[in-house]
Amino acid sequence: MATQGRGGCSSRRRSSPPPSRCLRPQDLAGLRIAVSTGGTREPIDPVRFLGNRSSGRQGMALARAAADRGAAVTLVAAHTDDGVLADAAGLTVVRVATAAELDDAMADAAEGADVVVMAAAVADYRPAETSDAKLRKDAVDGPGRVLDLVETADVLAGLVRARRDGQTIVGFAAETVGSHEELLERGRRKLARKGADLLVVNAVGWTQGFESADNEVVVLAAGGDVVAEASGTKRAVADAVWDAVRAVRG
Ligand code: CTP
């Protein structure tokens, strides 16, 4: 006999051992958490889009870790690599495609949430118009084509504006930088601009930060202090982020 508990854990009365995730301290029990993950895709026409290289692994690891530690988790997932969402037992998963859809879904999920984490890679711009027919080269004079882009909503900034008392908001920033000092400086500026409670910052490049099971991050608190540094599997990084969230919530 097994009863389904929070985060997909079961309280078992018979001899079979519980999944290892259920042996973890339930130190996020009672918290409602909304996490976004993956990369948005902004359609140009029925066969093309503007996208990015986010796999969704870090956001999924955050959602999985939070649920394993007892939280009730809503995961708003834009495009993710194959298999990334496979272990979603106990999570409420909402699929979205575009920045506008992610904005709506996160606004809904954040309404009742104690903690909101924006790990998704959100397009900053979308095509001003989406064509219902495939764009064709022969419709253009000359060798180039100009695509008009308009800004998307800043989802994180909107969540910060709507923040309820007691709600903790965590942002992410993936930066191309020349040094650790520059990473911290860019992170501090972004954190001040966005107004989140914590910002998880990591360095990325052509061969760094993507398509990897591992990650290396610095967590900054409002004011700019480094409150955590973590490296290793995305799951280990996720657990370090939740430790920092617990610390900042007191
Ligand atoms: N973000 C968001 N909505 C956007 C763009 C970004 O909510 N339209 C969130 C991301 O999910 C992340 C944080 O803002 O948590 C920082 O994202 P990033 O792309 O680094 O920041 P930008 O504000 O887009 O700044 P930049 O000019 O460096 O791209």
Side-chain angles (χ1 to χ4, degrees):
M1 179 73 185
T3 51
Q4 194 69 21
R6 287 203 142 155
C9 290
S10 302
S11 29
R12 283 155 197 265
R13 298 192 192 126
R14 277 195 271 173
S15 54
S16 62
S20 60
R21 73 172 62 128
C22 299
L23 301 174
R24 291 170 189 279
Q26 300 292 290
D27 56 357
L28 299 178
L31 290 183
R32 290 155 302 169
I33 294 178
V35 178
S36 71
T37 197
T40 62
R41 290 180 163 188
E42 310 302 320
I44 296 169
D45 65 22
V47 296
R48 306 184 181 96
F49 57 83
L50 295 176
N52 60 69
R53 290 177 63 196
S54 175
S55 69
R57 281 191 183 84
Q58 187 60 73
M60 177 61 188
L62 281 155
R64 182 73 270 150
D68 292 352
R69 289 165 66 162
V73 181
T74 298
L75 179 66
V76 174
H79 175 79
T80 54
D81 282 1
D82 284 350
V84 167
L85 301 185
D87 187 16
L91 308 178
T92 300
V93 179
V94 180
R95 294 310 308 251
V96 297
T98 64
E101 289 173 13
L102 190 136
D103 194 19
D104 286 347
M106 281 306 284
D108 284 352
E111 242 171 51
D114 304 295
V115 184
V116 179
V117 180
M118 275 298 298
V122 187
D124 289 332
Y125 298 92
R126 63 173 171 79
E129 286 176 18
T130 301
S131 173
D132 285 333
K134 187 181 164 194
L135 298 185
R136 297 183 194 285
K137 278 190 286 192
D138 58 12
V140 180
D141 288 334
R145 179 191 280 274
V146 174
L147 194 59
D148 282 330
L149 301 178
V150 292
E151 259 188 62
T152 58
D154 188 323
V155 181
L156 177 58
L159 293 167
V160 167
R161 280 195 299 274
R163 175 168 37 199
R164 297 182 292 105
D165 278 353
Q167 190 179 56
T168 305
I169 300 185
V170 182
F172 269 69
E175 306 287 349
T176 52
V177 288
S179 68
H180 192 67
E181 289 64 42
E182 190 186 349
L183 182 68
L184 294 181
E185 189 193 311
R186 284 192 179 279
R188 286 180 175 127
R189 268 192 269 148
K190 190 162 286 185
L191 181 54
R193 179 157 58 81
K194 299 268 184 177
D197 298 293
L198 293 171
L199 192 73
V200 182
V201 189
N202 69 314
V204 292
W206 293 113
T207 57
Q208 188 181 16
F210 297 106
E211 289 111 31
S212 165
D214 292 345
N215 202 358
E216 184 172 352
V217 306
V218 176
V219 184
L220 300 174
D225 284 349
V226 174
V227 291
E229 290 181 282
S231 61
T233 63
K234 288 185 175 175
R235 173 57 190 248
V237 167
D239 277 317
V241 170
W242 290 123
D243 292 345
V245 168
R246 287 195 68 212
V248 81
R249 287 178 65 81

